[in-house]
Amino acid sequence: MQSEISSHQPIGAFDSGVGGLSVLRAIRELLPHEHVLYLADQAHIPYGPRQKAHIRDFSFGITDFLLGHGAKLIVVACNTASAAALHDLRVRYPEVPFVGMEPAVKPAAAVTHSGRVGVLATPTTFSGDLYAALVDRFAKGIEIFQSTCPGLVEEIERGDLESPAIRAILEGVLSPMLAEGVDTVVLGCTHYPFVIPVIQAITGPEVRTIDPAPAIARQTQRLLAEHAWLNPVKVAGELQFFTSGPPAGLEGLLPRLLGETGKVSGLAWQSQGLAKINGG
Ligand code: DGL
């Protein structure tokens, strides 16, 4: 399926919801000429508390859909799906380049002065082998304080990024970390960069938050360049959005979260995978 790739084909990116838009934002900045297909699996959000095998099956179905619509490379713009499925995706589609997310433990360990780092991510991300390997490899001599931020993903999906509920969740999570002397906070879920202003208001400017999105965009650029798949056409790339939830909800959030508008097509999960609905 991937043998006849042309550089004009789109990048595919997916997340359980709007979180991957924080990655898409960085990709748009670095690679403005690339066409992108973005798929939000909002029928299944949140992924965080779900079983790994289910998240892996969703990731397979989404990847089939994106490849079927011409994706030349897939960005797994979701830490949880990366933790649950990235390895299996690479095995199942050996000819497809994947870019995955991992909590930025290594950069955090490099910049912390206090040697105390907070990591915010979902339960599946924390329980995966990927995270254990990162901590094992890069967090020697560093103390890590973890939180799964219960309810935060759902609140961010509502789109009111400075709501009292978001502030309350983050205060509950960050205050104990600050009391422990944490000076660096890793955003290990792609939803969380949208609430950086609230996080910084709580932590103050001395605490650094690490958003991995720019590094993911650079990795995407590197892989495309390696394959000679960077789009040579120098006009703005087109964005196409898909969701397995209500299209109007995602469409309404795009200007605020991405700073762009776009048409969203509705999808439905069927026994053979994802299919378009409403003629979308
Ligand atoms: N945005 C996803 C991540 O990066 C998780 C959200 C969810 O729990 O669905 O982990």
Side-chain angles (χ1 to χ4, degrees):
M1 184 161 20
Q2 289 276 296
S3 52
E4 300 287 328
I5 291 292
S6 117
S7 52
H8 303 276
Q9 287 174 229
I11 295 169
F14 73 91
D15 179 44
S16 56
V18 300
L21 296 175
S22 70
V23 180
L24 179 54
R25 204 166 51 176
I27 289 175
R28 290 292 277 172
E29 219 163 276
L30 189 67
L31 300 165
H33 309 124
E34 294 298 328
H35 305 303
V36 183
L37 310 173
Y38 181 88
L39 198 154
D41 187 13
Q42 289 172 305
H44 293 133
I45 196 162
Y47 273 8
R50 287 181 185 274
Q51 284 177 31
K52 196 179 149 186
H54 292 162
I55 300 168
R56 195 192 53 212
D57 288 346
F58 302 151
S59 301
F60 287 168
I62 292 166
T63 300
D64 284 341
F65 182 89
L66 293 172
L67 294 177
H69 285 73
K72 60 188 173 186
L73 170 150
I74 305 284
V75 180
V76 184
C78 174
N79 289 76
T80 308
S82 298
L86 188 58
H87 173 78
D88 296 324
L89 284 167
R90 288 186 167 131
V91 170
R92 186 171 159 120
Y93 309 92
E95 73 285 13
V96 178
F98 285 93
V99 178
M101 312 288 307
E102 61 182 30
V105 171
K106 184 183 175 189
V111 297
T112 177
H113 294 298
S114 66
R116 295 177 159 222
V117 169
V119 181
L120 314 185
T122 69
T124 299
T125 298
F126 281 131
S127 65
D129 297 341
L130 196 64
Y131 180 69
L134 280 174
V135 169
D136 197 45
R137 193 149 164 228
F138 299 116
K140 298 238 159 39
I142 302 288
E143 213 170 328
I144 293 200
F145 298 83
Q146 297 175 187
S147 174
T148 57
C149 305
L152 185 55
V153 163
E154 292 89 327
E155 289 299 331
I156 292 171
E157 285 283 316
R158 289 184 216 277
D160 180 0
L161 301 177
E162 304 200 342
S163 69
I166 286 178
R167 207 186 155 86
I169 292 169
L170 286 169
E171 263 168 4
V173 162
L174 294 168
S175 299
M177 291 187 180
L178 294 172
E180 294 285 356
V182 160
D183 69 351
T184 309
V185 176
V186 172
L187 305 182
C189 168
T190 54
H191 279 75
Y192 302 164
F194 291 122
V195 292
I196 286 175
V198 180
I199 293 174
Q200 292 283 190
I202 295 166
T203 63
E206 302 78 28
V207 172
R208 193 189 297 245
T209 54
I210 303 190
D211 171 8
I216 296 300
R218 288 194 297 276
Q219 173 66 358
T220 304
Q221 183 184 44
R222 252 191 311 270
L223 275 182
L224 289 177
E226 244 170 53
H227 288 80
W229 287 350
L230 283 163
N231 192 354
V233 179
K234 299 293 178 233
V235 296
E238 282 170 24
L239 299 179
Q240 277 187 70
F241 299 91
F242 303 91
T243 179
S244 56
L250 179 58
E251 214 165 283
L253 289 175
L254 290 176
R256 194 173 327 152
L257 300 184
L258 188 64
E260 299 193 55
T261 54
K263 184 178 160 358
V264 181
S265 302
L267 304 179
W269 282 99
Q270 297 176 346
S271 52
Q272 67 281 29
L274 277 165
K276 285 194 186 177
I277 49 173
N278 302 331

